[in-house]
């Protein structure tokens, strides 16, 4: 029976309690360290570093996307756009799509990993303008890539989740469109997960 804090006096009880706690933590850590980890699945893009808008700044990656397409397709593909979070500190949001793509590709979806500019490169609502520009670009070029322009979903995590949610909520708000990249095409999405 381990001593409880109420039973620990000024004698060796505190030391025994600390040693028992340390032993328990070390045992638990070694037990979890021996558990096998699942293999990491990731996909390689079919089309890499597609510019959906001119680079801003010139050396930035914030206006690039990677497109993943299933090997076998029949008809137009529904599209899932992914953007990773970074607390708006990075312009590499497209990189996380490689981990989402394997499951989505096997289910018959096309996947676009989209990068938006960081908060050091643009102020609000610039990040939102970027993701909406990517949606417009993909919709305008749907025939080129075999994408169904009427079945576009968007998802992300952390700041990417915020970006996805804002894109979904402002699909019919002309004041939030921005003038970046392809214009005159709808930026509305049919589904969002944030």
């Amino acid at each position: 029976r381990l001593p409880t804090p109420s039973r620990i006096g000024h004698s060796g009880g505190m030391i025994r309690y600390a040693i028992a706690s340390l032993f328990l933590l070390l045992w638990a850590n070694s037990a979890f360290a021996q558990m096998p980890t699942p293999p990491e699945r990731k996909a390689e893009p079919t089309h890499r570093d597609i510019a959906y808008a001119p680079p801003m700044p010139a050396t930035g990656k914030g206006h690039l996307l990677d497109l993943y397409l299933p090997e076998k397709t029949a008809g137009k593909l529904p599209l899932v756009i992914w953007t990773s979070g970074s607390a708006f500190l990075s312009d590499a949001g497209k990189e996380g799509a490689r981990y989402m793509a394997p499951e989505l590709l096997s289910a018959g979806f096309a996947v676009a990993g989209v990068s938006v500019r960081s908060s050091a490169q643009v102020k609000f609502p610039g990040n939102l303008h970027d993701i909406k520009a990517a949606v417009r670009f993909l919709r305008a070029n749907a025939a080129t890539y075999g994408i169904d322009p009427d079945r576009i979903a968007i998802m992300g995590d952390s700041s990417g989740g915020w970006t996805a949610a804002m894109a979904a909520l402002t699909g019919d708000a002309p004041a939030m469109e921005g003038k970046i990249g392809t214009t005159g095409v709808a930026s509305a999405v049919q589904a969002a997960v944030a």
Side-chain angles (χ1 to χ4, degrees):
R1 182 172 164 184
L2 289 174
T4 61
S6 62
R7 283 198 241 138
I8 297 174
H10 294 289
S11 62
M14 180 64 100
I15 293 172
R16 286 193 303 274
Y17 185 74
I19 290 172
S21 298
L22 181 62
F23 175 76
L24 184 60
L25 286 173
L26 291 173
W27 174 82
N29 189 34
S30 68
F32 285 113
Q34 294 174 10
M35 292 178 70
T37 57
E40 190 174 89
R41 292 183 56 195
K42 61 183 179 180
E44 289 302 317
T46 310
H47 304 281
R48 184 184 305 273
D49 292 334
I50 300 169
Y52 64 85
M56 291 182 215
T59 58
K61 297 180 284 182
H63 287 160
L64 296 176
L65 66 86
D66 290 344
L67 190 60
Y68 303 78
L69 300 172
E71 289 182 19
K72 297 177 185 175
T73 61
K76 296 177 186 174
L77 297 167
L79 172 68
V80 175
I81 296 172
W82 170 266
T83 186
S84 294
S86 67
F88 297 109
L89 299 176
S90 171
D91 63 356
K94 69 186 181 87
E95 302 302 327
R98 70 180 60 188
Y99 302 103
M100 302 300 292
E103 294 300 321
L104 293 167
L105 292 172
S106 67
F109 291 90
V111 177
V114 175
S115 292
V116 299
R117 291 173 290 173
S118 71
S119 59
Q121 297 165 330
V122 68
K123 301 298 178 220
F124 178 83
N127 317 91
L128 177 58
H129 291 168
D130 289 353
I131 198 71
K132 291 169 84 62
V135 173
R136 291 191 306 266
F137 172 87
L138 289 161
R139 181 166 278 124
N141 292 282
T144 302
Y145 298 113
I147 296 168
D148 186 340
D150 298 320
R151 294 192 298 163
I152 298 177
I154 189 165
M155 61 190 292
D157 66 339
S158 189
S159 59
W162 178 92
T163 305
M166 289 300 291
L169 292 170
T170 62
D172 61 354
M176 300 307 288
E177 284 300 313
K179 294 176 174 55
I180 296 167
T182 303
T183 57
V185 180
S187 67
V189 295
Q190 287 66 53
V193 178

